[in-house]
């Protein structure tokens, strides 16, 4: 489901669970991997990547439909993954190999850098079309990581951005062909792995203090 491997100073966290929705098992594995990364000493950087045509489609709506009494607890865990990525004591890059929708799009935004595959896959925040809203923590993350006009358009319209459109909108930093998405993200991560991890984490915690407060606070404010 989730595989964490190390290639030199770069950790590659691969999601391999179909649409990579955030079911309880996926969250368990993500939390375990983040725990390992948080204990890293010395040089290090993280790359996350999906498989096939999906980076991640976000919340597991089927599981939520069957466990509505655990909705707040579940969202708290999702918020926690975003917060731990923002606080991680090493540089991070998302290799967006395919669709990044809703919570999966927000997962990509929680990284320092993102490379998106050309030719297939969209970045999309479709909540408006699903009749859903954003939690205060999710809104804070999106506002902190996207240009204001892009955040407004993405959240209000549910627009699907291609890789080229995502670069132009300031959502991701570069594009690459399918076979180059992961190598491009790994190359960026390797170039940053020598940064002092403790300093990286501290800088992010200060830079995103309000966002982290929202993610770590009550789910519904």
């Amino acid at each position: 489901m989730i595989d964490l491997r190390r290639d030199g100073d770069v950790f590659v966290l691969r999601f391999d669970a179909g649409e990579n929705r955030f079911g309880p098992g996926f969250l368990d594995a993500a939390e375990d991997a983040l725990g390992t990364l948080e204990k890293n000493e010395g040089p290090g950087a993280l790359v996350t990547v999906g498989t096939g045509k999906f980076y991640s489609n976000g919340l597991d709506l089927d599981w939520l439909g069957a466990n509505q009494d655990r909705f707040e607890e579940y969202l708290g865990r999702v918020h926690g993954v975003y917060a731990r990525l923002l606080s991680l004591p090493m540089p991070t890059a998302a290799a967006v190999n395919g669709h990044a929708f809703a919570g999966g799009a927000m997962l990509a935004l929680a990284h320092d850098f993102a490379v998106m595959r050309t030719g297939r896959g969209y970045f999309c925040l479709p909540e408006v079309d699903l009749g859903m809203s954003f939690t205060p923590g999710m809104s804070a993350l999106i506002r902190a990581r996207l240009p204001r006009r892009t955040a407004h358009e993405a959240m209000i319209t549910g627009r699907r951005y291609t890789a080229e459109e995502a670069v132009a909108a300031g959502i991701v930093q570069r594009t690459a062909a399918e076979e180059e998405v992961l190598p491009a993200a790994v190359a960026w991560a390797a170039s940053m792995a020598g940064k002092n991890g403790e300093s990286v984490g501290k800088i992010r915690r200060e830079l995103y203090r309000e966002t982290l407060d929202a993610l770590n606070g009550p789910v519904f404010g």
Side-chain angles (χ1 to χ4, degrees):
M1 178 177 291
I2 285 184
D3 178 54
L4 180 64
R5 297 189 181 184
R6 185 164 188 167
D7 180 6
D9 291 333
V10 177
F11 294 89
V12 177
L13 182 61
R14 183 179 293 275
F15 311 140
D16 189 12
E19 295 184 10
N20 295 320
R21 290 184 177 271
F22 303 159
F26 184 100
L27 292 173
D28 287 343
E31 290 164 350
D32 286 347
L34 288 169
T36 297
L37 293 165
E38 287 164 347
K39 296 173 185 175
N40 181 64
E41 297 182 358
L46 169 67
V47 172
T48 64
V49 64
T51 48
K53 64 179 181 179
F54 296 101
Y55 176 74
S56 172
N57 266 356
L59 303 187
D60 188 335
L61 300 181
D62 289 339
W63 186 89
L64 276 174
N67 296 272
Q68 295 182 28
D69 58 323
R70 300 178 64 185
F71 186 53
E72 188 167 351
E73 171 198 344
Y74 171 81
L75 288 182
R77 292 188 69 187
V78 173
H79 282 193
V81 169
Y82 298 154
R84 289 174 75 179
L85 269 172
L86 275 180
S87 303
L88 200 66
M90 62 177 64
T92 59
V96 184
N97 59 288
H99 297 307
F101 271 56
M106 295 177 226
L107 183 67
L109 292 179
H111 295 70
D112 298 315
F113 182 84
V115 182
M116 188 169 172
R117 171 183 172 181
T118 56
R120 187 172 193 177
Y122 295 101
F123 176 100
C124 181
L125 298 173
E127 281 75 3
V128 67
D129 294 319
L130 298 174
M132 301 172 66
S133 60
F134 298 88
T135 65
M138 291 174 176
S139 292
L141 174 62
I142 296 165
R143 290 197 313 270
R145 296 293 293 137
L146 291 182
R148 188 173 185 86
R149 290 181 64 181
T150 300
H152 180 97
E153 178 183 61
M155 296 170 80
I156 293 296
T157 71
R159 175 178 172 179
R160 296 185 177 195
Y161 296 83
T162 65
E164 294 83 0
E165 291 168 342
V167 168
I171 297 169
V172 303
Q173 285 65 54
R174 66 163 293 185
T175 66
E178 178 183 4
E179 65 277 8
E180 293 299 322
V181 172
L182 181 57
V186 169
W188 180 90
S191 75
M192 295 288 290
K195 304 292 184 184
N196 183 280
E198 184 178 350
S199 294
V200 168
K202 184 175 181 180
I203 289 169
R204 274 209 236 91
R205 287 192 297 274
E206 290 297 321
L207 184 61
Y208 297 110
R209 181 183 298 180
E210 293 180 0
T211 302
L212 289 166
D213 286 347
L215 287 169
N216 290 322
V219 169
F220 296 111

